[in-house]
Amino acid sequence: MNSSLFLTLLRRGAMLSAAVLCLGVCPAAESPIRIHTDLTDLLLKVDEQGRLCQSYFGPALQNEQELAMLPPGNEAFATHGPGNQFAPALQMTHPDGNTSLQLVYEKHQTCRLDEGITQTTVSLRDRAYPVEVKLILTAFERENVIKSRTEILHDERGSVTLHAYASSMLRLQAGSYHLTEFSGDWAREANLTETRLTFGKKLLDSPLGTRANMFCSPMFAVALDTPASETNGTVLLGTLAWSGNFRFTFEVDQNNELRILAGINPFASEYPLSPKKVFRTPEFIFTLSTRGIGEASRSLHDWARRHQLKEGEQGRMTLLNNWEATFFDFDEERLCAIMDDAREIGVEMFLLDDGWFGNKHPRHDDTQGLGDWVENREKLPGGIPALTRAAKKRGIRFGLWIEPEMVNPRSLLYEKHPDWILRYPNREACYFRNQLVLDLTNPEVQEFVFGTVDRLMSENPDIAYFKWDCNSPIMNAHSAYLGSEQSRLWVDYVKGLYAVLERIREKYPDLPMMLCSGGGGRTDYGALSYFTEFWPSDNTDPLERIFIQWGYSCFFPLKSLCAHVTNWNRSTSIKFRTDVAMMGKLGFDLVVKKLSPDEIRFVQQALKDYKRLRPTILDGDLYRLVSPYSGQHAALQTVAKDRSQAVLFAYDLNPRYGEPLQPVRPEDLDPDRRYRIREINLMPGESSRLALNDRVLSGDYLMKVGLEIFSTERARSTVVELTAE
Ligand code: GLA
């Protein structure tokens, strides 16, 4: 093999690195196939008919010799074919019109990809047709996370049509199932709603394409036997790494067994697969905890920081954004004044938002200019170079907003390339925020989108950050490029997007990027391997944000949740707004000049403290102590991995008059160490109302007795630092 081909294969992950150790291929699975983490076992067995079955899924079993005793169980990856009575994980039509598939076990192989990471590939094949399906399961032992995906391949005389192609199928057996979904809408994202699953199906899905998660995020929790709590009960958290249409099917059968199918939403997406081509499904990521949602979340956070999130173990920058301060109305001078503000309050970056581009169709509002990624000469005569220079002069970094997948009809791009735009040729286009979506299935469009970023970066190497927005769902699902194969659109769009993001990550590996989609429209681990953080919601009213950040924090680490102090809900104090935003990747988006001198001093000090505590807040273990869903208060806490420091955030929302208040008990401190209790984020001149402020107490006392930290005041907050002495 020549060396460049070798390198290409290596880069595509088609070859295993020298560290990878594979056990021999097993042609017959006599003993169970064991997908194993420190806390969980998923056991697969082959039954007498040769079918692959799920024998066990639950807490890790201690005695290897007992595994053989388990009955084989039911089919692990049910297909549409003889005998299946429920929703299939895989369904296809063969070129001869036959609609059945019946998979039997062929072989499996287990490889150690890295310390603590094992990948098992189980090959299944159909007895009647040359179709092969690989189930690929990767177990992260320490983090207790398993990823599951499939590869579908055939060698028939023509294309097969895939009608359903799940990434995973899991079976659970319990007395009752309690599903938590994370749904809402723009500005009220990721609300937790719990339902009991009874006989039949419940679907959580999205058909929106680009802004896929506007109504529902691709994540769920299923608690067994009793509703989920933060600290108790057996709970499965699952999420799909796919930035497009997803579908989770929860189906309870007549024996009260629950099947969970997770994958791309096959809605309007029959996929033609040519012979010898591989169809790869996205990864379904899951973790099972017997100690509640809190532990399951921490497992996902650890896994994400170590293995998925872009720059997951690196730092994050604080920033000042100009969006809510100026909207589209700015020029170079105004921006430089905002950069002065950024320096004054002490953030590390200035982020220039929407409105900086377009000349024939200047981007003075959201009706025009999208697609024309050239600086507006009137607003910015010196272009971006003048701005990056201005930022440098002030000792801060410069970040830029882009929305490169979209176009306004009033733009040069639209005039020049009408065939690059998704819309029906014979119907009126339907607009969302006055814009249309570019056709990323088309390689020329992929080149254009990559080129937009690449050109900005080569002309302005000092751009230190991008905010990548995506404000429209696919409202007109027709691609000029795909011709008669329109049903590929929803899948191929995402693959096209990933092809672009892959090139950007490869060329600019250290470039942090925020994933934004009108707030909350794209919140998945597929995209987050290319992005360092995401924008959970345009709603930055702190009272609302407590709920929104709480929801997303079940799946995503705080370092990936952007939280800005803005003017939404100005009736709350700057302290309350900052205290909420500090429980995430902190930024500001307001007119600093309108703050009082005391407020400015407060913000300056809060930023200093945030930078000092950032490793504990962003990389520590998160404990959600008091849920805003259960009353008028909320409390969260992060603890450094070595338990030397913790930060406690407590919020009073809208308490009732004279309501009895409960102490907040921190978790996971070292009972034998003594911690200094220090309230931070106090307004200048304000003294702490915390009775134990500045006292030193043992972790034992703090965890058992707790702190009297809540009040009956509306929108009041307290942030406490606990540092071991
Ligand atoms: C979206 C984003 C906002 C802002 C605007 C700009 O709505 O969520 O933060 O960037 O676009 O048009």
Side-chain angles (χ1 to χ4, degrees), residues 275-337:
K276 296 196 167 66
K277 287 262 187 270
V278 181
F279 185 89
R280 293 187 174 82
T281 68
E283 283 163 340
F284 172 61
I285 297 147
F286 60 98
T287 182
L288 183 76
S289 166
T290 55
R291 298 198 302 176
I293 295 189
E295 181 184 80
S297 297
R298 288 187 290 280
S299 297
L300 284 176
H301 297 169
D302 283 343
W303 167 81
R305 282 185 294 243
R306 288 188 198 128
H307 305 292
Q308 187 73 11
L309 185 64
K310 185 172 187 215
E311 295 184 37
E313 295 185 295
Q314 269 87 286
R316 295 290 185 271
M317 285 185 278
T318 54
L319 60 83
L320 178 64
N321 192 186
N322 71 309
W323 175 239
E324 294 193 16
T326 65
F327 293 105
F328 297 94
D329 181 19
F330 56 78
D331 57 20
E332 198 175 301
E333 200 184 318
R334 205 161 166 208
L335 296 181
C336 286

Side-chain angles (χ1 to χ4, degrees), residues 578-593:
T578 307
D579 287 0
V580 172
M582 202 150 160
M583 182 182 63
K585 205 223 117 204
L586 177 63
F588 289 79
D589 190 356
L590 40 65
V591 184
V592 173
K593 297 219 169 16

Side-chain angles (χ1 to χ4, degrees), residues 229-251:
S229 96
E230 278 298 315
T231 47
N232 287 311
T234 300
V235 60
L236 172 77
L237 294 192
T239 180
L240 191 75
W242 182 248
S243 312
N245 296 347
F246 70 90
R247 185 171 79 182
F248 300 131
T249 307
F250 305 88
E251 187 169 27

Side-chain angles (χ1 to χ4, degrees), residues 149-189:
R149 67 181 179 90
T150 73
E151 288 183 3
I152 304 156
L153 174 73
H154 71 89
D155 198 8
E156 302 205 24
R157 283 168 191 278
S159 289
V160 305
T161 304
L162 303 177
H163 303 282
Y165 30 88
S167 298
S168 158
M169 178 170 142
L170 283 176
R171 292 173 181 272
L172 290 161
Q173 251 154 357
S176 58
Y177 307 100
H178 306 266
L179 170 72
T180 305
E181 63 187 68
F182 299 78
S183 53
D185 193 356
W186 175 80
R188 53 182 192 89
E189 294 86 352

Side-chain angles (χ1 to χ4, degrees), residues 562-577:
C562 300
H564 294 180
V565 180
T566 74
N567 276 333
W568 283 59
N569 200 346
R570 240 173 300 183
S571 69
T572 59
S573 66
I574 189 87
K575 167 177 166 54
F576 189 76
R577 284 177 271 157

Side-chain angles (χ1 to χ4, degrees), residues 186 211 321 323-324 328 353-355 363 366 401 403 433 467 469 471 516-519 535 537-538 589:
W186 175 80
R211 195 168 163 174
N321 192 186
W323 175 239
E324 294 193 16
F328 297 94
D353 216 284
D354 196 355
R363 182 77 170 165
D366 64 17
W401 180 96
E403 194 179 3
R433 211 196 185 208
K467 173 178 176 183
D469 216 332
N471 277 299
C516 180
S517 184
W535 183 234
S537 179
D538 278 350
D589 190 356

